[in-house]
Amino acid sequence: MSLPRLDRQQLTVVGIGLAIVLFVALNVWGSLSLRGQRLDLTENRQYTLSPGTERLLAGVGEPITLRLYVSRALRDANPFLGSYADRVHDLLRAYAEAAGGRIVIEYLDPEPFSPEEDRAVGFGLDPITLEGGATTGYLGLAGTNSTDDVDVIPVLSPEREPFLEYDLTRMVSNLADPDQPVVALVSELPINGDPALQCRPWQVMRELDQLFDVRIESGDVDRSADDVDVVMLVHPQALSEKTLYALDQFVMRGGRMLVFVDPHSEAQAMRQQQPGMPADTFSNLEKLFPAWGVQFDPNLVVGDPRTARQVTFPSGGREQVVHYLPWLSLDRQFLAPDQVVTAELNRINLGTAGALAAAEGATASFTPLLHASAEAMTIPADKVRLYPDPFALLRDEKPGGKELVLAARIEGSIKSAFGDAAPENVAAEPAHLAESTEPARIVVDADTDLLDDRNWLTLVAQQVAIPLADNANLVANALDDLVGSDALTSLRGREVTLRPFTRVAEITRASEAQYRAKEQELLERLNELQGKLTSLSVADGEDPSLLSGAQRKEIEGFRAQLLETRRELRDVQLALRQDIERLRDRTRFVNIALVPLLVAAAAVAIALARRVRYRRRFDHAAA
């Protein structure tokens, strides 16, 4: 008995049916068997849980419940928010799987006037009102543990998507270990805000408040409390001997310190007119640094043409863009890759920083964390404290040929800066220690302005600031490292979305070096001609006929030279941008025209090759 033969049309229908069945079967099997598998092809592995998150989740010892509140009204009114809520939910499920079931995820729709909405309000979630005020709902996260500790993210904002894993891991960390490390802050700057001056806390302080129990110390410090893990000392100026001795003995007893000094604090300079602010803008620890094996000169500022940031500065009657040598923007190549404090960071912005070095005969190790390029130099601080001139600093540029250290880690055995006994006017309670009882751990930064919002944040809307650098992460990493916690360290550094064009920066520096001297020469000639023209011109109300023919001719000549000099100046300033414009045009051509043309050419080539193979096969069959 022979089976009936199927014609080509029937075979096509059967094939399509089998393909559909196979497709559905593969999707069902993949959703069940490969649920926890994912392939992350992004350059920075943005969608892969970091080692810090995985270690933290593996160590969660008590049940944690994370409640994701997503209002259906928001999803319906704004599909973008709905898509973002789905991404958050997917990441939360990855957390639950990595925690081995110790984290429970609840997905809730808080409908108006429902018990879920009451609970969301009770947790402190903020309602979201879309444009026009027609739709209000919730998109937030609340977490609880077995001891009723609560941590919330009031609004899951899409603008913070680059920070999402960090925010979630911080929440889990807070719930898994509610006791936060204690940081004692001793600062001469209003880092925690000043209500009297209507000064809000700096963003660095807001970040630290989420991670640590920050206690503000004011006045003379007799001794740090026994439960203080780290002392954060910012811009020390004229500290009393009692406070210096308390800090010294804190380190001798195994306490950890994070120190910020500065040859010129721009944040303080802005507030010098306010009562109670010191006249000097530099800070130092000249009593303690030698004992720690640190050299620091508060009269020298580091300038670096390779890492300098651009600023606008008036020149020739207009605003000019110029590199300001003391304002540095350090990318990954200037951050220590093998140190936990800086390994995961991308960029640090500094302002008028100083240089650190290891002192001769130091007993503790000196490990650089941040450094400038080999083109860096030291600049007398007086040149930047009053009326800095970026053009003058560039003209006087003399590369030092040495990578100057801007921040360092000190670790090892050290001796007391006060020798074998406490000062006579200071009570030694407990007993004086002449040498550290365990290896000291200290991080020193030669810049306080890296803490200032202006150096690392940009305001995109009212109360909405986007980080341009990892300054806050650097501080948090240093404190985490000093207290011995590194679970969150690997997450920091994913926040920065600014990716500068390094080739453009190189072209800009080369163009400036080539044209800036000519520009300055033309500006000086322009000023000279304007002065001569003013001296020869008649004053208001005088008769122009009083000028002689020679004077009129000379004035016309000066005016012609003036116009020609201005034209040359415009040409020089235009030349500063020509290389960048050419690079931009080439990039546009590659992206807009060349790549599509190559794809189209490849498609045509493949089609022709297939056609040739088909014709050969047809000719062979016909033969």
Side-chain angles (χ1 to χ4, degrees), residues 404-421:
L404 300 176
V405 178
L406 306 167
R409 176 192 177 98
I410 315 300
E411 189 167 15
S413 177
I414 59 176
K415 295 184 178 180
S416 170
F418 293 85
D420 296 330

Side-chain angles (χ1 to χ4, degrees), residues 147-224:
T147 56
D148 294 330
D149 293 300
V150 178
D151 196 1
V152 300
I153 301 177
V155 175
L156 287 164
S157 172
E159 285 79 9
R160 282 193 63 86
E161 185 172 8
F163 324 149
L164 181 58
E165 187 185 353
Y166 175 81
D167 290 340
L168 298 181
T169 302
R170 176 191 55 78
M171 172 180 284
V172 174
S173 176
N174 291 345
L175 295 172
D177 185 11
D179 295 329
Q180 294 179 323
V182 178
V183 175
L185 175 63
V186 182
S187 176
E188 294 293 329
L189 297 176
I191 183 174
N192 195 41
D194 190 340
L197 301 175
Q198 296 183 345
C199 176
R200 298 191 308 165
W202 294 359
Q203 186 63 34
V204 167
M205 189 64 183
R206 299 179 189 177
E207 299 280 346
L208 296 184
D209 278 336
Q210 297 179 15
L211 306 171
F212 306 96
D213 178 7
V214 182
R215 302 178 184 175
I216 309 300
E217 302 283 353
S218 59
D220 286 342
V221 178
D222 294 324
R223 57 166 294 187
S224 297

Side-chain angles (χ1 to χ4, degrees), residues 252-266:
M252 293 301 106
R253 289 179 168 78
R256 311 323 174 40
M257 287 194 65
L258 175 58
V259 180
F260 294 88
V261 292
D262 205 328
H264 172 57
S265 169
E266 298 185 6

Side-chain angles (χ1 to χ4, degrees), residues 76-87:
D76 295 340
N78 191 327
F80 176 71
L81 289 179
S83 176
Y84 180 60
D86 292 338
R87 294 197 294 273

Side-chain angles (χ1 to χ4, degrees), residues 45 68 96 116-117 134 150 154 217 219 242 260 266-267 273 337 341-342 346 348 358 411 416 420 431 464 490 601 609:
R45 299 181 65 81
L68 178 61
E116 287 81 8
E117 184 184 41
V150 178
E217 302 283 353
K242 180 169 65 174
F260 294 88
E266 298 185 6
Q273 303 300 323
V341 176
T342 52
N346 289 317
I348 300 296
E411 189 167 15
S416 170
D420 296 330
V464 178
S490 60

Side-chain angles (χ1 to χ4, degrees), residues 249-322:
Q249 290 299 292
F250 175 76
V251 175
M252 293 301 106
R253 289 179 168 78
R256 311 323 174 40
M257 287 194 65
L258 175 58
V259 180
F260 294 88
V261 292
D262 205 328
H264 172 57
S265 169
E266 298 185 6
Q268 185 183 42
M270 292 183 62
R271 298 172 173 85
Q272 277 192 336
Q273 303 300 323
Q274 298 170 356
M277 295 296 292
D280 295 324
T281 58
F282 69 88
S283 55
N284 195 6
L285 277 179
E286 63 274 12
K287 180 70 175 179
L288 302 184
F289 276 168
W292 296 350
V294 177
Q295 282 185 340
F296 173 72
D297 189 342
N299 295 310
L300 295 177
V301 170
V302 174
D304 186 1
R306 185 173 176 184
T307 63
R309 285 184 278 161
Q310 288 185 333
V311 299
T312 56
F313 192 78
S315 177
R318 63 172 60 185
E319 295 289 331
Q320 298 290 318
V321 177
V322 61

Side-chain angles (χ1 to χ4, degrees), residues 19 117 324 338 545 565 583:
E117 184 184 41
Y324 184 45
D338 57 343
S545 61
T565 301
L583 177 62

